């Protein structure tokens, strides 16, 4: 998402007074207001509308929406003059294969105008350009350039020019290694044997896209009256759209648009920019049905014109700077916006359906109710944790930690998925040493293993101060209430955090299809070893149990 | 209350301490009334509440035995132990003395120093012997021992001649310690004096009602029940309770169930295919970067080929009249495993499940309320785990106004009377809606979440049918925070037991 800042004075002079009504209209147009000061209005522009990323683009669309200048905005596009040509060398194919170019003349640039232009360029880079990865834009003073221009790729060490912000000539490699902007965008070119450049007929390098312009031929000033604009990247169609957004904005600033001839090879010539519209089908029936309104064709036409389109007999003319119209539904949404979301009356259809909770969720809630009835507090911890709390404090040695699912590049020290709830139970106790005892806690939630069925619902109960007997009573009560049979037996292998001889394995007794009794181990109950309590700085004895609920979801009738 | 009422209200403990109020020390009151200290203090508080006495709390410093001090009281001070040994052996060399006395280096050194300074022991050719006057000193208690015997003592009331002894002992390890104690001074008020002068027959007042009493009316007939002070402040208790977040979630689930929605659940770990690709999120969309999403190194498997091909087509060249995103779709990118960033992937899977049904039966209303994950730092308004209230309505005949209808009803029942809808953008819905609610206290419209109608690029591959699917996925944490008036997101997962015990119940129903 990008924010644009508009000059409040200019807005009020050219669009209208920024009163509450106007602010409401801006929000209902789909550009929420971020902040308003005495000088500026900040608007949020969603990523589907890069054509709104400059004041001029916004003004074009918003004046139509207000009904002041509806319909398709037309711009005069002049054919190429002599030498308005860019030759694309086949060497760029493997680096950055496409470019779309234009010339805009007759500009009277003020310092604000230059700032607006650069801001638009940067916002387009950040959004549809995907930080210059997908496309990059260059704007150059035509006065400093000898046409025609060539777009080609060259060995990095043989590229030599003085980049913006430097005081001497640098090679392509040096720019990536030493220049601050070069360093930032180096990953986009690193590993390539040749780097792309724009170069004029006198062999002056204009720029090395997508990184940086030349200081000599790539800086637009207040004296500049004509500019050369290029977009380079990987998808010709989106480059053309991006170019259209820029040249129409410059035209709104008073420029005249000139096309250029792009020679991809002798047989294949392209002319850009191309501001001709595309025709898309729209059905009145589909529109009414999807939005839930009843408008006639005349209103449909009016509403589409308020969104900057032309409409005629089932077809919409879509302006050349709209990048977001993939399907009829995109047009229908614009009709809904023009109709006004505030004019849509919410309604619930009168169709009866049966609502239902998932069985597992019902059982989880019942378990919680039973435990709350025994005076227990429910806790709620993160699904993420880290190896120190999950393993080391639970008695594992640094080198013999069990498998777990690790998270890549976490921004915090929570970087694995929890493998049990028990360590979180002790963590909670250790963080509440100064709170009233007894502390009787439970938690229900997912734990994760690297096995194939990787997510399981568990239950943990902890009592402090507490002992085996007390907790076993709670366990027995819980399963009696659930009407399930369990047995607690001597474990074959004792989990590290329990005291040997004071821990039992919990076995669920179930009957299979043939009514034969089967035993399913579902967890452990016991007293925590003082050494583990010391790890956690807990000063009270703790009894703890953890069980896997998945079997219980199966068995509860 | 008049004096009589007050007398009637005195509890047995209060009556027990009443005759001993003039004692200066609480310990004495305890002894004479035969009550423990807590009971005496509590009874004093009640007497104060009833206006009989005033209590003045004074902090005092008490000198008492330290950890080693307690040990030495049992076994004797190190110098005493050494002296006894010398006394027994008459003459003993240094090493032997330390070995047999079992003193540490430091204790041994101090003991010799002390005994020499007191002129009890002499050193002669590396041997320890009693000094001439030693015979007398050996049997008498030292000043240190006398001082330790007198503990505990108020720091201010240590006799002048013992100050130095105290200072010396203080320098030694853990023999004495100073602890702060609060001392209570009782001042009897006029009302108290009046009542003290009354003859109170406390035998005739009934304390507890006992089972015997109910059986045998002689035990209570003609007697009075002691009057309670029903306004006396009491210690707080707390009960078992669901976590407040889960109380809110249960309530929200109930709303959806009542509105005829079926619950759907799903895994937290998913392939990018289900979280992004099936929801028409282009593979170069910023949300798919590690910067924003938790990835797991293990690759996931893709679902069946027909579905994958159909999703690939939707991205590359479009489907059902769409132009698509026009790029080369990479199945490897779709295999990357992530922690779900939204529960919308559960909706996607539900649609695919419906696609297996006959075409007319592919409809229904579904919801989920579950956790999602994003790679985020933690502060008062950000966290890496968050709840989403998710829903879809799959039906030939639903439209945008119906979407607004369901959302308005849900938020109304959540307590947001005034809400409004604004246009917005999501890759997977068109039209898209943002819901904002009016906050009457803060006087702002605040964002509740997003919704829309799934694009045909999603409906066609997943459901196999281009019909409207109303869909929403709204953050739920802010609603919880607003209800409980919590300002810091971290408090939702802090598990501060005091907070859990004190947080009010979710009272909407």
């Amino acid at each position: 998402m990008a924010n644009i800042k508009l000059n409040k004075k200019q807005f009020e002079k050219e669009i209208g007074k920024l009163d509450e009504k106007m602010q409401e209209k801006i929000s209902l147009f789909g550009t929420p207001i971020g902040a308003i000061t005495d000088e500026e209005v900040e608007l949020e522009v969603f990523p589907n509308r890069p054509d709104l990323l400059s004041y001029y683009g916004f003004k074009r669309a918003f004046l139509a929406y207000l009904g002041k200048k509806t319909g398709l905005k037309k711009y005069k596009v002049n054919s190429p003059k002599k030498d308005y040509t860019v030759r694309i060398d086949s060497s760029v194919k493997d680096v950055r294969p496409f470019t779309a170019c234009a010339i805009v003349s007759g500009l009277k640039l003020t310092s604000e105008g230059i700032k607006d232009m650069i801001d638009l360029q940067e916002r387009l880079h950040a959004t549809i350009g995907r930080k210059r990865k997908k496309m990059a834009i260059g704007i150059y003073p035509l006065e400093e350039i000898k046409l025609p221009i060539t777009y080609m790729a060259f060995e990095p060490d043989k590229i030599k020019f003085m980049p913006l912000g430097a005081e001497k000539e640098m090679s392509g490699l040096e720019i990536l290694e030493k220049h601050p902007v070069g360093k930032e965008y180096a990953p986009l070119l690193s590993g390539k044997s040749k780097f792309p450049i724009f170069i004029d007929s006198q062999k002056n390098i204009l720029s090395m896209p997508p990184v940086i312009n030349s200081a000599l031929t790539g800086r637009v000033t207040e004296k500049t009256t004509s500019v050369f604009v290029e977009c380079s990247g990987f998808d010709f169609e989106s480059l053309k759209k991006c170019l259209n957004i820029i040249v129409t904005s410059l035209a709104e600033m008073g420029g005249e648009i000139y096309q250029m001839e792009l020679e991809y090879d002798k047989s294949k010539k392209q002319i850009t920019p191309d501001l001709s519209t595309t025709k898309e089908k729209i059905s009145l029936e589909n529109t009414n049905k999807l939005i839930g309104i009843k408008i006639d064709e005349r209103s449909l036409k009016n509403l589409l014109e308020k969104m900057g389109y032309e409409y005629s007999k089932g077809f919409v003319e879509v302006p050349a700077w709209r990048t977001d119209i993939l399907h009829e539904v995109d047009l229908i949404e614009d009709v809904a916006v023009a109709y006004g979301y505030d004019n849509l009356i919410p309604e619930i259809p009168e169709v009866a359906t049966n609502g239902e909770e998932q069985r597992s969720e019902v059982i989880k809630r019942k378990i919680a109710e039973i435990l709350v009835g025994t005076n227990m507090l429910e806790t709620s911890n993160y699904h993420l944790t880290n190896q120190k709390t999950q393993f080391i404090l639970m008695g594992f040695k640094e080198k013999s930690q069990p498998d777990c699912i690790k998270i890549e590049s976490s921004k915090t020290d929570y970087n694995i998925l929890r493998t049990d709830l028990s360590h979180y139970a002790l963590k909670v106790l250790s963080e509440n040493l100064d709170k009233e005892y007894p502390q009787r806690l439970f938690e229900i939630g997912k734990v994760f293993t690297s096995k194939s069925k990787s997510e399981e619902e568990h239950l943990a109960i902890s009592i402090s101060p507490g002992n085996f007997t007390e907790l076993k009573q709670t366990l027995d009560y819980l399963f009696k209430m659930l009407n399930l049979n369990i047995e607690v037996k001597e474990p074959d292998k004792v989990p590290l955090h329990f005291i040997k001889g004071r821990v039992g394995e919990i076995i669920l007794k179930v009957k299979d299809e043939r009514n034969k009794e089967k035993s399913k181990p579902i967890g452990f109950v016991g007293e925590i070893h003082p050494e583990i309590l010391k790890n956690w700085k807990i000063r009270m004895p703790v009894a703890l149990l953890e069980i896997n609920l998945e079997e219980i979801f199966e068995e509860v009738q | 209350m008049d004096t009589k009422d007050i007398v009637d209200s005195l509890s047995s403990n209060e009556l027990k301490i009443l005759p001993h109020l003039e004692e200066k020390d609480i310990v004495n009151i305890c002894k004479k009334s035969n009550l423990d200290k807590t009971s005496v203090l509590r009874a004093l508080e009640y007497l104060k509440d009833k206006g009989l006495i005033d209590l003045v709390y004074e902090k005092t410093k008490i000198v008492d035995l330290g950890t080693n001090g307690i040990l030495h009281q049992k076994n004797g001070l190190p110098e005493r132990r050494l002296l006894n040994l010398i006394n027994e052996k008459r003459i003993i060399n240094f090493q032997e003395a330390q070995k047999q006395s079992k003193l540490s280096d430091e204790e041994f050194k101090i003991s010799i120093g002390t005994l020499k300074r007191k002129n009890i022991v002499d050193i002669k050719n590396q041997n320890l012997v009693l000094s001439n006057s030693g015979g007398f000193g050996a049997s008498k208690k030292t000043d240190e021992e006398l001082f330790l015997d007198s503990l505990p003592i108020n720091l201010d009331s240590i006799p002048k001649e013992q100050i130095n002894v105290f200072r010396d002992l203080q320098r030694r390890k853990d023999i004495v310690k100073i602890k702060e104690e609060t001392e209570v001074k009782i001042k009897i008020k006029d009302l108290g004096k009046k009542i003290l002068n009354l003859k109170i027959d406390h035998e005739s007042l009934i304390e507890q009602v006992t089972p015997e009493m109910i059986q045998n009316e002689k035990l209570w007939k003609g007697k009075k029940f002691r009057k309670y002070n029903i306004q006396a402040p009491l210690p707080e208790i707390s009960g078992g309770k669901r976590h407040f977040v889960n109380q809110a979630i249960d309530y929200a689930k109930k709303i959806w169930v009542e509105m005829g929605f079926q619950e759907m659940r799903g895994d937290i770990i998913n392939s990018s295919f289900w979280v992004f690709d099936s929801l028409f999120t282009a593979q170069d969309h910023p949300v798919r970067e590690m910067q924003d999403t938790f990835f797991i190194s293990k690759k996931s498997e893709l679902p069946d080929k027909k579905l994958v091909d159909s999703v690939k087509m939707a991205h590359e060249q479009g489907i059902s009249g769409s132009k698509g995103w026009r790029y080369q779709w990479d199945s490897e990118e779709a295999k990357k495993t992530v922690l779900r960033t939204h529960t919308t992937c559960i909706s996607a899977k539900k649609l695919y499940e419906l696609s297996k049904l006959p075409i007319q039966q592919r409809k229904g209303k579904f919801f989920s309320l579950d956790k999602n994950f994003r790679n985020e730092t933690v502060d008062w308004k950000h966290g890496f785990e968050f709840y989403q209230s998710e829903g879809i309505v799959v039906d030939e005949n639903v439209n945008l106004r119906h979407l607004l209808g369901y959302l308005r009803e849900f938020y109304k029942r959540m307590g947001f009377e005034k809400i409004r809808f604004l246009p917005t953008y999501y890759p997977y819905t068109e039209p898209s809606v943002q819901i904002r609610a009016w906050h009457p206290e803060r006087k702002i419209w605040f964002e509740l979440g997003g919704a829309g109608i799934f694009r045909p690029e999603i409906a066609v591959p997943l459901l196999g049918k281009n019909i409207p699917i109303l869909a929403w996925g709204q953050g739920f944490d802010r609603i919880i925070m607003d209800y409980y008036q919590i300002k810091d997101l971290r408090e939702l997962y802090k598990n501060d037991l005091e907070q859990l015990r004190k947080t009010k119940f979710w009272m909407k129903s």
Side-chain angles (χ1 to χ4, degrees), chain A residues 24 130 280 290 292 327 330 333 341 356 358 375-376 378 380-381 383 408-409 411 455 457, chain B residues 240-243 260 263 265 268-269 284 291 295 320 323 375 385 400-401 420 430 432 455 495:
Chain A
E24 180 72 12
R130 298 279 193 257
E280 303 289 344
L290 197 66
H327 192 276
D330 296 297
E333 180 183 64
Y341 277 25
E356 197 180 19
Q358 289 259 326
N375 217 3
M376 295 210 150
E378 187 183 27
S380 178
N381 282 288
H383 290 76
E408 293 177 9
S409 308
K411 286 180 190 162
E455 299 180 21
E457 294 279 358
Chain B
K241 208 195 288 177
R242 297 294 307 275
H243 192 280
E263 188 175 19
R265 301 255 311 152
I268 285 172
I269 303 171
D284 69 348
Q291 192 62 17
F295 283 86
S320 182
K323 293 192 177 69
N375 198 357
E385 299 190 8
L400 183 58
R401 287 200 301 118
R420 71 166 176 172
E430 198 77 15
S432 304
R455 299 187 64 98
N495 294 299

Side-chain angles (χ1 to χ4, degrees), chain A residues 24 27-30 32 44 46-48 130-131 133-134 235 237-238 280 288-293 323-330 332-333 336-337 341-342 344-349 351 353-358 360-361 364-365 368-369 372 375-384 405-412 414 417 428-429 431-432 435-443 446 448 450-451 453-455 457, chain B residues 236 238-243 246 250 253 257 259-269 280 282 284-286 289-292 294-298 319-326 339-340 365 367 371 373 375-378 384-385 387 396-406 408-409 420-425 429-434 436 453 455-457 466 468 490 492-498 500-501:
Chain A
E24 180 72 12
S27 296
L28 283 164
F29 177 58
E44 213 176 285
F46 296 118
N48 61 329
R130 298 279 193 257
K131 294 179 184 142
K133 199 161 115 196
K134 212 171 165 185
D235 175 35
E237 287 308 309
S238 32
E280 303 289 344
N288 276 329
K289 197 166 173 284
L290 197 66
I291 306 176
I293 51 176
T323 60
D324 59 320
I325 309 302
L326 306 183
H327 192 276
E328 187 191 32
V329 291
D330 296 297
I332 295 177
E333 180 183 64
V337 171
Y341 277 25
D342 53 338
L344 296 172
I345 298 159
E347 182 192 88
I348 293 185
V351 185
T353 48
N354 287 325
E356 197 180 19
E357 254 186 299
Q358 289 259 326
S360 61
E361 297 307 291
K364 275 160 65 182
R365 199 179 50 244
E369 279 173 22
V372 163
N375 217 3
M376 295 210 150
L377 272 182
E378 187 183 27
T379 60
S380 178
N381 282 288
Y382 292 126
H383 290 76
L384 266 57
I405 300 176
K406 294 186 178 103
I407 302 292
E408 293 177 9
S409 308
S410 172
K411 286 180 190 162
T412 64
Y414 291 82
L417 284 165
V428 172
L429 292 172
E431 286 168 355
N432 283 284
K435 305 291 150 50
E436 201 174 307
Y437 287 89
Q439 298 180 353
R440 299 165 56 82
L441 312 174
F442 76 98
E443 179 158 354
K446 275 186 173 173
F448 304 80
S450 25
K451 288 183 294 188
K453 169 78 186 122
S454 57
E455 299 180 21
E457 294 279 358
Chain B
E236 284 179 24
S238 65
K241 208 195 288 177
R242 297 294 307 275
H243 192 280
N246 291 339
D250 270 356
K253 282 185 173 185
V257 171
M259 282 166 77
F261 284 71
Q262 287 180 355
E263 188 175 19
M264 37 181 194
R265 301 255 311 152
D267 285 343
I268 285 172
I269 303 171
F280 202 51
D284 69 348
H285 194 284
E289 288 171 18
M290 249 184 222
Q291 192 62 17
D292 290 323
F294 287 126
F295 283 86
I296 290 166
S297 61
K298 199 180 144 201
I319 202 166
S320 182
S322 161
K323 293 192 177 69
W325 292 124
R326 297 181 309 278
L339 302 190
R340 67 174 178 228
K365 289 149 70 180
F367 83 95
K371 262 212 179 156
F373 299 79
N375 198 357
E376 183 71 84
T377 51
V378 179
F384 51 77
E385 299 190 8
Y387 281 100
E396 200 91 47
N397 296 312
V398 291
N399 60 47
L400 183 58
R401 287 200 301 118
H402 297 142
L403 173 68
L404 307 189
Y406 285 119
R408 190 181 63 174
E409 182 62 23
R420 71 166 176 172
F421 303 102
L422 295 175
T424 187
Y425 170 76
T429 52
E430 198 77 15
S432 304
V433 185
Q434 186 193 79
R436 293 197 178 199
I453 300 177
R455 299 187 64 98
E457 293 92 332
N466 188 7
R490 287 168 292 196
L492 299 187
Y493 308 105
K494 204 172 160 204
N495 294 299
D496 174 337
L497 297 187
E498 187 165 319
L500 292 184
R501 282 168 176 149

Side-chain angles (χ1 to χ4, degrees), chain A residues 113-124:
Chain A
I114 295 172
K115 192 179 166 287
D116 285 349
M117 197 171 78
I118 294 170
D119 282 351
L120 172 61
Q121 186 184 351
E122 285 313 318
R123 287 180 200 127
L124 289 169

Side-chain angles (χ1 to χ4, degrees), chain B residues 64-79 81 103-104 106-107 110 148 151 169-177:
Chain B
D64 204 348
L65 290 172
T67 329
N68 289 333
I70 295 169
L71 214 69
H72 298 330
Q73 273 303 87
K74 226 167 86 189
N75 304 333
L77 280 167
E79 56 264 39
R81 270 137 70 191
L103 294 177
S104 72
E106 203 197 332
E107 285 172 339
I110 292 174
L148 291 179
L151 295 185
L169 284 169
Q170 215 182 1
R171 264 178 240 121
R172 295 170 64 174
K173 205 179 163 195
D174 286 341
I175 293 184
V176 292
K177 66 175 178 194

